Short mmCIF file of all heavy atoms in Angstrom, two decimals:
data_model
loop_
_atom_site.label_atom_id
_atom_site.label_comp_id
_atom_site.label_asym_id
_atom_site.label_seq_id
_atom_site.Cartn_x
_atom_site.Cartn_y
_atom_site.Cartn_z
N TRP B 35 20.05 6.87 -2.02
CA TRP B 35 19.09 7.20 -3.06
C TRP B 35 17.74 7.50 -2.39
O TRP B 35 17.25 6.65 -1.65
CB TRP B 35 18.95 6.09 -4.08
CG TRP B 35 20.01 6.08 -5.12
CD1 TRP B 35 21.13 5.29 -5.16
CD2 TRP B 35 20.08 6.92 -6.30
NE1 TRP B 35 21.88 5.59 -6.27
CE2 TRP B 35 21.27 6.58 -6.98
CE3 TRP B 35 19.26 7.91 -6.81
CZ2 TRP B 35 21.66 7.19 -8.17
CZ3 TRP B 35 19.63 8.53 -8.01
CH2 TRP B 35 20.82 8.17 -8.66
N TYR B 36 17.22 8.70 -2.68
CA TYR B 36 15.88 9.08 -2.24
C TYR B 36 14.99 9.18 -3.47
O TYR B 36 15.44 9.51 -4.56
CB TYR B 36 15.93 10.45 -1.53
CG TYR B 36 16.39 10.39 -0.09
CD1 TYR B 36 17.75 10.49 0.21
CD2 TYR B 36 15.49 10.27 0.96
CE1 TYR B 36 18.19 10.47 1.53
CE2 TYR B 36 15.92 10.22 2.28
CZ TYR B 36 17.27 10.32 2.55
OH TYR B 36 17.70 10.29 3.86
N VAL B 37 13.69 8.95 -3.25
CA VAL B 37 12.72 9.03 -4.32
C VAL B 37 11.62 10.01 -3.93
O VAL B 37 11.23 10.09 -2.75
CB VAL B 37 12.13 7.64 -4.68
CG1 VAL B 37 11.45 6.99 -3.48
CG2 VAL B 37 11.16 7.73 -5.86
N GLN B 38 11.17 10.79 -4.89
CA GLN B 38 10.12 11.79 -4.65
C GLN B 38 8.99 11.54 -5.65
O GLN B 38 9.15 11.73 -6.87
CB GLN B 38 10.67 13.20 -4.81
CG GLN B 38 9.66 14.29 -4.49
CD GLN B 38 10.27 15.68 -4.61
OE1 GLN B 38 11.15 15.93 -5.43
NE2 GLN B 38 9.80 16.62 -3.81
N TYR B 39 7.84 11.12 -5.12
CA TYR B 39 6.66 10.94 -5.96
C TYR B 39 5.93 12.27 -6.07
O TYR B 39 6.09 13.14 -5.21
CB TYR B 39 5.75 9.86 -5.36
CG TYR B 39 6.43 8.50 -5.31
CD1 TYR B 39 6.94 7.99 -4.12
CD2 TYR B 39 6.58 7.75 -6.47
CE1 TYR B 39 7.57 6.78 -4.09
CE2 TYR B 39 7.21 6.52 -6.45
CZ TYR B 39 7.72 6.02 -5.25
OH TYR B 39 8.37 4.83 -5.23
N PRO B 40 5.14 12.45 -7.11
CA PRO B 40 4.50 13.75 -7.34
C PRO B 40 3.76 14.27 -6.12
O PRO B 40 2.95 13.57 -5.51
CB PRO B 40 3.55 13.46 -8.50
CG PRO B 40 4.18 12.33 -9.24
CD PRO B 40 4.82 11.49 -8.18
N GLY B 41 4.04 15.52 -5.76
CA GLY B 41 3.33 16.17 -4.66
C GLY B 41 3.74 15.72 -3.27
O GLY B 41 3.10 16.11 -2.28
N GLU B 42 4.80 14.93 -3.17
CA GLU B 42 5.19 14.41 -1.87
C GLU B 42 6.62 14.84 -1.51
O GLU B 42 7.37 15.33 -2.36
CB GLU B 42 5.11 12.89 -1.85
CG GLU B 42 3.72 12.35 -2.08
CD GLU B 42 3.68 10.84 -1.99
OE1 GLU B 42 4.69 10.22 -1.58
OE2 GLU B 42 2.63 10.27 -2.33
N GLY B 43 6.98 14.62 -0.25
CA GLY B 43 8.37 14.82 0.16
C GLY B 43 9.20 13.63 -0.25
O GLY B 43 8.71 12.61 -0.76
N LEU B 44 10.51 13.74 -0.02
CA LEU B 44 11.41 12.65 -0.38
C LEU B 44 11.26 11.51 0.61
O LEU B 44 10.96 11.71 1.80
CB LEU B 44 12.87 13.15 -0.34
CG LEU B 44 13.37 13.90 -1.55
CD1 LEU B 44 12.72 15.27 -1.65
CD2 LEU B 44 14.88 14.04 -1.50
N GLN B 45 11.54 10.30 0.13
CA GLN B 45 11.59 9.15 1.02
C GLN B 45 12.77 8.28 0.63
O GLN B 45 13.15 8.19 -0.55
CB GLN B 45 10.28 8.34 1.00
CG GLN B 45 9.83 7.89 -0.34
CD GLN B 45 8.46 7.23 -0.28
OE1 GLN B 45 8.33 6.03 -0.04
NE2 GLN B 45 7.41 8.03 -0.47
N LEU B 46 13.38 7.67 1.62
CA LEU B 46 14.56 6.86 1.37
C LEU B 46 14.22 5.65 0.54
O LEU B 46 13.25 4.93 0.82
CB LEU B 46 15.17 6.39 2.70
CG LEU B 46 16.42 5.55 2.53
CD1 LEU B 46 17.59 6.40 2.09
CD2 LEU B 46 16.75 4.82 3.85
N LEU B 47 15.03 5.42 -0.49
CA LEU B 47 14.88 4.21 -1.31
C LEU B 47 15.90 3.17 -0.83
O LEU B 47 15.55 2.02 -0.58
CB LEU B 47 15.10 4.54 -2.78
CG LEU B 47 14.95 3.42 -3.77
CD1 LEU B 47 13.59 2.78 -3.70
CD2 LEU B 47 15.27 3.89 -5.18
N LEU B 48 17.18 3.56 -0.72
CA LEU B 48 18.19 2.65 -0.23
C LEU B 48 19.41 3.47 0.18
O LEU B 48 19.55 4.63 -0.18
CB LEU B 48 18.57 1.61 -1.28
CG LEU B 48 18.95 2.08 -2.67
CD1 LEU B 48 20.42 2.45 -2.75
CD2 LEU B 48 18.66 1.00 -3.71
N LYS B 49 20.32 2.80 0.91
CA LYS B 49 21.53 3.51 1.34
C LYS B 49 22.68 2.52 1.51
O LYS B 49 22.46 1.31 1.59
CB LYS B 49 21.30 4.26 2.63
CG LYS B 49 21.12 3.39 3.85
CD LYS B 49 20.97 4.27 5.09
CE LYS B 49 20.90 3.44 6.35
NZ LYS B 49 20.72 4.26 7.57
N ALA B 50 23.89 3.06 1.56
CA ALA B 50 25.09 2.27 1.82
C ALA B 50 26.05 3.15 2.63
O ALA B 50 26.19 4.33 2.38
CB ALA B 50 25.76 1.83 0.51
N THR B 51 26.67 2.54 3.61
CA THR B 51 27.48 3.34 4.53
C THR B 51 28.98 3.16 4.38
O THR B 51 29.76 3.94 4.93
CB THR B 51 27.08 3.04 5.98
OG1 THR B 51 27.27 1.63 6.22
CG2 THR B 51 25.65 3.40 6.24
N LYS B 52 29.41 2.14 3.63
CA LYS B 52 30.85 1.98 3.43
C LYS B 52 31.13 1.31 2.10
O LYS B 52 30.22 0.73 1.48
CB LYS B 52 31.47 1.18 4.57
CG LYS B 52 30.97 -0.22 4.73
CD LYS B 52 31.62 -0.88 5.94
CE LYS B 52 31.27 -2.36 6.05
NZ LYS B 52 29.83 -2.60 6.24
N ALA B 53 32.38 1.40 1.67
CA ALA B 53 32.78 0.88 0.36
C ALA B 53 32.39 -0.58 0.21
O ALA B 53 32.50 -1.38 1.14
CB ALA B 53 34.29 1.06 0.19
N ASP B 54 31.90 -0.91 -1.01
CA ASP B 54 31.47 -2.24 -1.41
C ASP B 54 30.13 -2.68 -0.81
O ASP B 54 29.64 -3.75 -1.16
CB ASP B 54 32.53 -3.30 -1.11
CG ASP B 54 33.84 -3.01 -1.82
OD1 ASP B 54 33.78 -2.50 -2.97
OD2 ASP B 54 34.89 -3.24 -1.24
N ASP B 55 29.54 -1.87 0.02
CA ASP B 55 28.18 -2.15 0.50
C ASP B 55 27.21 -2.05 -0.67
O ASP B 55 27.35 -1.20 -1.54
CB ASP B 55 27.74 -1.11 1.56
CG ASP B 55 28.06 -1.55 2.96
OD1 ASP B 55 28.65 -2.63 3.13
OD2 ASP B 55 27.73 -0.80 3.89
N LYS B 56 26.21 -2.93 -0.66
CA LYS B 56 25.13 -2.84 -1.65
C LYS B 56 23.85 -2.54 -0.92
O LYS B 56 23.45 -3.28 0.00
CB LYS B 56 25.00 -4.16 -2.42
CG LYS B 56 23.84 -4.13 -3.43
CD LYS B 56 23.61 -5.49 -4.08
CE LYS B 56 24.59 -5.74 -5.19
NZ LYS B 56 24.27 -6.95 -5.97
N GLY B 57 23.19 -1.46 -1.31
CA GLY B 57 21.87 -1.14 -0.80
C GLY B 57 20.82 -1.68 -1.75
O GLY B 57 21.02 -1.69 -2.96
N SER B 58 19.70 -2.16 -1.21
CA SER B 58 18.63 -2.69 -2.07
C SER B 58 17.29 -2.50 -1.43
O SER B 58 17.16 -2.54 -0.20
CB SER B 58 18.88 -4.17 -2.38
OG SER B 58 18.85 -4.93 -1.21
N ASN B 59 16.26 -2.30 -2.29
CA ASN B 59 14.92 -2.13 -1.80
C ASN B 59 13.98 -2.10 -2.99
O ASN B 59 14.27 -1.46 -4.02
CB ASN B 59 14.80 -0.80 -1.03
CG ASN B 59 13.44 -0.60 -0.38
OD1 ASN B 59 12.76 -1.57 -0.07
ND2 ASN B 59 13.06 0.63 -0.16
N LYS B 60 12.87 -2.80 -2.91
CA LYS B 60 11.82 -2.79 -3.95
C LYS B 60 12.37 -3.11 -5.33
O LYS B 60 11.89 -2.59 -6.34
CB LYS B 60 11.14 -1.42 -4.00
CG LYS B 60 10.44 -1.00 -2.72
CD LYS B 60 9.78 0.35 -2.88
CE LYS B 60 9.16 0.78 -1.58
NZ LYS B 60 8.51 2.11 -1.68
N GLY B 61 13.38 -3.94 -5.43
CA GLY B 61 13.96 -4.32 -6.70
C GLY B 61 15.06 -3.39 -7.18
O GLY B 61 15.75 -3.68 -8.16
N PHE B 62 15.26 -2.26 -6.51
CA PHE B 62 16.34 -1.33 -6.84
C PHE B 62 17.61 -1.74 -6.10
O PHE B 62 17.54 -2.23 -4.98
CB PHE B 62 15.97 0.10 -6.44
CG PHE B 62 14.87 0.71 -7.27
CD1 PHE B 62 13.55 0.58 -6.88
CD2 PHE B 62 15.17 1.46 -8.39
CE1 PHE B 62 12.53 1.16 -7.62
CE2 PHE B 62 14.16 2.05 -9.13
CZ PHE B 62 12.84 1.89 -8.75
N GLU B 63 18.76 -1.50 -6.72
CA GLU B 63 20.05 -1.80 -6.11
C GLU B 63 21.04 -0.70 -6.44
O GLU B 63 20.96 -0.08 -7.52
CB GLU B 63 20.63 -3.12 -6.63
CG GLU B 63 19.86 -4.36 -6.26
CD GLU B 63 20.58 -5.61 -6.76
OE1 GLU B 63 21.41 -5.49 -7.68
OE2 GLU B 63 20.29 -6.68 -6.22
N ALA B 64 22.02 -0.50 -5.54
CA ALA B 64 23.14 0.39 -5.80
C ALA B 64 24.32 -0.07 -4.98
O ALA B 64 24.13 -0.44 -3.81
CB ALA B 64 22.79 1.84 -5.52
N THR B 65 25.53 -0.06 -5.56
CA THR B 65 26.73 -0.50 -4.84
C THR B 65 27.66 0.68 -4.67
O THR B 65 27.95 1.41 -5.61
CB THR B 65 27.43 -1.63 -5.61
OG1 THR B 65 26.52 -2.72 -5.76
CG2 THR B 65 28.68 -2.10 -4.87
N TYR B 66 28.16 0.85 -3.46
CA TYR B 66 29.10 1.91 -3.10
C TYR B 66 30.47 1.53 -3.64
O TYR B 66 31.14 0.64 -3.13
CB TYR B 66 29.14 1.99 -1.56
CG TYR B 66 29.83 3.14 -0.91
CD1 TYR B 66 29.31 3.70 0.24
CD2 TYR B 66 31.05 3.65 -1.38
CE1 TYR B 66 29.91 4.74 0.91
CE2 TYR B 66 31.67 4.69 -0.73
CZ TYR B 66 31.12 5.23 0.42
OH TYR B 66 31.76 6.25 1.06
N ARG B 67 30.90 2.22 -4.70
CA ARG B 67 32.19 1.94 -5.34
C ARG B 67 33.16 3.07 -5.05
O ARG B 67 33.08 4.16 -5.63
CB ARG B 67 32.03 1.82 -6.87
CG ARG B 67 31.03 0.76 -7.30
CD ARG B 67 31.65 -0.58 -7.26
NE ARG B 67 30.77 -1.60 -7.87
CZ ARG B 67 30.80 -2.88 -7.57
NH1 ARG B 67 31.66 -3.34 -6.65
NH2 ARG B 67 29.99 -3.73 -8.16
N LYS B 68 34.09 2.81 -4.14
CA LYS B 68 35.04 3.87 -3.76
C LYS B 68 36.05 4.12 -4.89
O LYS B 68 36.46 5.25 -5.11
CB LYS B 68 35.74 3.47 -2.47
CG LYS B 68 36.49 4.59 -1.81
CD LYS B 68 36.92 4.22 -0.42
CE LYS B 68 37.56 5.39 0.31
NZ LYS B 68 38.71 5.94 -0.38
N GLU B 69 36.43 3.04 -5.61
CA GLU B 69 37.47 3.21 -6.62
C GLU B 69 37.01 4.07 -7.78
O GLU B 69 37.82 4.76 -8.42
CB GLU B 69 37.94 1.84 -7.12
CG GLU B 69 36.89 1.00 -7.84
CD GLU B 69 36.00 0.22 -6.90
OE1 GLU B 69 36.03 0.46 -5.66
OE2 GLU B 69 35.24 -0.63 -7.40
#
Side-chain angles (χ1 to χ4, degrees):
Chain B
W35 277 100
Y36 280 88
V37 59
Q38 184 178 32
Y39 297 103
E42 299 183 9
L44 280 69
Q45 55 186 272
L46 180 72
L47 181 59
L48 53 84
K49 70 177 185 181
T51 58
K52 62 183 187 297
D54 299 325
D55 268 2
K56 178 187 279 189
S58 62
N59 186 26
K60 299 182 183 179
F62 291 90
E63 293 184 340
T65 301
Y66 190 142
R67 303 280 188 204
K68 193 168 185 302
E69 64 277 10

